[in-house]
Amino acid sequence: MRDDELAVMAGRTVLVTGSSDGLGAHVAVRLGAAGARVIVHGRDAERAAGTARRIVEAGGPEPDVVLADLARLAEADRLADEVLARTGRLDVLVNNAGIGFGDPGEARSLSGDGYELRFAVNYLAPALLTRRLLPLLTASAPARIVNVSSVGQQAIDFADPMLERGYDGPRAYRQSKLAQIMATFDLAAELAGTGVTVNALHPATFMATRMVLAGGHTPLSSVAEGGDATLRLIADPALDGVTGRYYDGLRETAPHRQAADPDARRRLRELTDALIAGALG
């Protein structure tokens, strides 16, 4: 989106998770420069402060900075508490933080709660954060939730959702991203009539981010390209009221067929509730 098209965001409050680097930082700076009040989230205080500094240098209002490691669900829960303490309204939640693709054959990693790491960070943490912030989003309606997902998707094996057998990084990543899209569809139906919309997107393929470069991948698109697709879901007035959709860049498309399976989505809801309850006790 052009800068003048983002003027509609002036005065609105937006939380962008994972905005200390890469796509999240790009989106946060563009929104801040347009006059939005941005809540910057990251794990690393120095990098998060760097994004905040870039927003101010771009002429934006002083952003809030919140730190949390989403590899522990208690941290996602605390992040929600901190956001609720800092703002009385939230116009947009952008669930962008995540762990990348990984490599075939890499060792299976666990979150601080003992869950498969990519499923925990890419799916469970934003699911919990979103649930905690729903009352504020609803009170601020019209509001939007944007889930930054991926075209890389793989069916969830509910007999082994934590991938204790046959693990590899790409499979874990794809499963977590499909879970995020499935939850997007469910939440959109749940929130019908509230004024809160929920959509997911694959912003762009192998953007030139630190995550992509660290994984040894050759960039195929720019952060600006992915940023434009993401900002469209955040700000485009033409998408007012549009909900429960998945986009590949700027184009609406259908995700993996499991996302349309109501029984699979029910099983995911039950699994999600059980895992979050198990972590938070």
Side-chain angles (χ1 to χ4, degrees):
M1 294 186 72
R2 300 190 312 269
D3 289 344
D4 63 301
E5 294 175 314
L6 289 177
V8 296
M9 296 304 297
R12 299 186 187 180
T13 300
V14 185
L15 168 60
V16 184
T17 69
S19 49
S20 60
D21 198 9
L23 176 68
H26 176 89
V27 167
V29 172
R30 291 282 310 278
L31 289 170
R37 177 194 177 193
V38 180
I39 303 175
V40 174
H41 158 262
R43 287 186 303 165
D44 182 276
E46 185 176 350
R47 288 205 298 266
T51 299
R53 187 165 52 251
R54 288 173 59 196
I55 290 172
V56 173
E57 289 170 351
E62 185 76 37
D64 289 275
V65 175
V66 291
L67 302 176
D69 182 352
L70 300 184
R72 288 186 177 273
L73 292 181
E75 284 282 286
D77 202 41
R78 183 190 58 75
L79 173 59
D81 287 338
E82 189 162 351
V83 171
L84 292 169
R86 289 183 180 224
T87 183
R89 68 173 298 111
L90 185 62
D91 298 281
V92 184
L93 166 62
V94 184
N95 286 310
N96 166 72
I99 298 176
F101 212 69
D103 298 313
E106 74 174 23
R108 178 173 173 266
S109 299
L110 300 180
S111 73
D113 302 304
Y115 301 145
E116 192 280 309
L117 184 61
R118 286 180 173 82
F119 196 83
V121 174
N122 295 351
Y123 170 63
L124 289 175
L128 171 59
L129 179 64
T130 300
R131 183 62 59 182
R132 288 289 321 280
L133 295 178
L134 276 183
L136 181 58
L137 286 158
T138 302
S140 306
R144 299 185 183 188
I145 300 168
V146 176
N147 291 325
V148 178
S149 188
S150 174
V151 73
Q153 302 157 26
Q154 189 161 340
I156 300 167
D157 178 1
F158 287 101
D160 183 25
M162 295 294 99
L163 301 180
E164 297 179 71
R165 302 179 299 276
Y167 176 87
D168 69 36
R171 179 186 175 196
Y173 175 84
R174 292 170 181 144
Q175 174 179 271
S176 70
K177 290 301 186 177
L178 178 58
Q180 191 177 42
I181 295 167
M182 293 164 73
T184 296
F185 291 174
D186 269 353
L187 188 58
E190 178 185 335
L191 294 176
T194 66
V196 181
T197 61
V198 194
N199 294 292
L201 84 157
H202 167 73
T205 300
F206 285 156
M207 293 174 286
T209 63
R210 187 170 58 89
M211 180 186 296
V212 167
L213 296 173
H217 304 291
T218 300
L220 300 177
S221 56
S222 68
V223 173
E225 180 182 345
D228 282 345
T230 307
L231 288 163
R232 174 174 170 265
L233 292 190
I234 293 169
D236 190 346
L239 295 179
D240 286 348
V242 174
T243 192
R245 311 290 177 86
Y246 166 70
Y247 295 86
D248 182 351
L250 302 175
R251 180 176 61 91
E252 182 182 349
T253 189
H256 188 286
R257 62 183 177 276
Q258 193 180 51
D261 181 345
D263 184 62
R265 298 216 306 260
R266 175 190 59 78
R267 296 177 75 179
L268 178 61
R269 289 194 302 271
E270 293 172 351
L271 175 65
T272 303
D273 290 346
L275 292 175
I276 290 175
L280 300 183

Coordinates of all heavy atoms in Angstrom, one line a residue, residues 38-42 45 48-49 52 63-67 82 86:
V38 N 1.7 2.3 17.6 CA 2.2 0.9 17.4 C 2.7 0.4 18.8 O 3.4 1.1 19.5 CB 3.3 0.9 16.4 CG1 3.8 -0.6 16.2 CG2 2.8 1.4 15.0
I39 N 2.3 -0.8 19.1 CA 2.9 -1.5 20.2 C 3.9 -2.5 19.6 O 3.5 -3.5 18.9 CB 1.8 -2.3 21.0 CG1 0.8 -1.3 21.5 CG2 2.5 -3.0 22.2 CD1 -0.4 -1.9 22.3
V40 N 5.1 -2.3 19.8 CA 6.2 -3.1 19.2 C 6.5 -4.3 20.2 O 6.7 -4.1 21.4 CB 7.5 -2.3 19.0 CG1 8.6 -3.2 18.6 CG2 7.3 -1.2 18.0
H41 N 6.5 -5.5 19.6 CA 6.8 -6.7 20.5 C 8.1 -7.4 19.9 O 8.2 -7.5 18.7 CB 5.7 -7.7 20.5 CG 6.1 -9.1 20.8 ND1 6.4 -10.0 19.9 CD2 6.4 -9.6 22.0 CE1 6.8 -11.1 20.5 NE2 6.9 -10.9 21.8
G42 N 8.9 -7.9 20.8 CA 10.0 -8.7 20.4 C 10.5 -9.5 21.6 O 10.1 -9.3 22.7
A45 N 15.5 -6.9 23.6 CA 15.2 -5.5 24.0 C 15.9 -4.5 23.0 O 15.3 -3.5 22.6 CB 15.6 -5.2 25.4
A48 N 14.1 -4.5 19.6 CA 12.8 -3.9 19.7 C 12.9 -2.4 19.8 O 12.1 -1.6 19.2 CB 12.0 -4.5 20.9
A49 N 13.9 -1.9 20.6 CA 14.1 -0.5 20.7 C 14.5 0.1 19.4 O 14.2 1.3 19.1 CB 15.2 -0.3 21.8
A52 N 11.4 0.8 17.5 CA 10.8 2.0 18.1 C 11.5 3.3 17.6 O 10.8 4.3 17.3 CB 10.8 1.9 19.6
P63 N 6.2 4.8 20.2 CA 5.5 3.5 20.4 C 5.8 2.9 21.8 O 6.7 3.3 22.5 CB 6.2 2.6 19.3 CG 7.6 3.2 19.2 CD 7.5 4.6 19.4
D64 N 4.9 2.0 22.1 CA 5.1 1.2 23.3 C 6.0 0.0 22.9 O 5.9 -0.4 21.7 CB 3.8 0.7 23.9 CG 3.0 1.8 24.5 OD1 3.2 2.0 25.7 OD2 2.1 2.4 23.9
V65 N 6.8 -0.5 23.8 CA 7.6 -1.7 23.5 C 7.3 -2.7 24.6 O 7.4 -2.4 25.8 CB 9.1 -1.3 23.5 CG1 10.0 -2.6 23.4 CG2 9.5 -0.3 22.4
V66 N 7.0 -3.9 24.2 CA 6.7 -5.0 25.1 C 7.6 -6.2 24.7 O 7.7 -6.5 23.5 CB 5.2 -5.4 25.1 CG1 4.4 -4.3 25.7 CG2 4.7 -5.7 23.7
L67 N 8.1 -6.8 25.7 CA 9.0 -8.0 25.5 C 8.4 -9.2 26.0 O 7.9 -9.3 27.1 CB 10.4 -7.7 26.2 CG 11.1 -6.4 25.8 CD1 12.4 -6.3 26.6 CD2 11.5 -6.4 24.3
E82 N 0.2 -7.2 29.8 CA 0.9 -6.0 29.7 C 0.3 -5.1 28.7 O 0.1 -3.9 28.9 CB 2.4 -6.2 29.3 CG 3.2 -5.0 29.3 CD 4.7 -5.3 29.4 OE1 5.1 -6.4 29.5 OE2 5.5 -4.3 29.2
R86 N -1.6 -1.3 29.2 CA -1.0 -0.1 28.6 C -2.0 0.6 27.7 O -1.8 1.8 27.3 CB 0.2 -0.5 27.7 CG 1.4 -0.9 28.5 CD 2.6 -1.2 27.6 NE 3.8 -1.6 28.4 CZ 5.0 -1.1 28.1 NH1 5.2 -0.3 27.1 NH2 6.0 -1.5 28.8

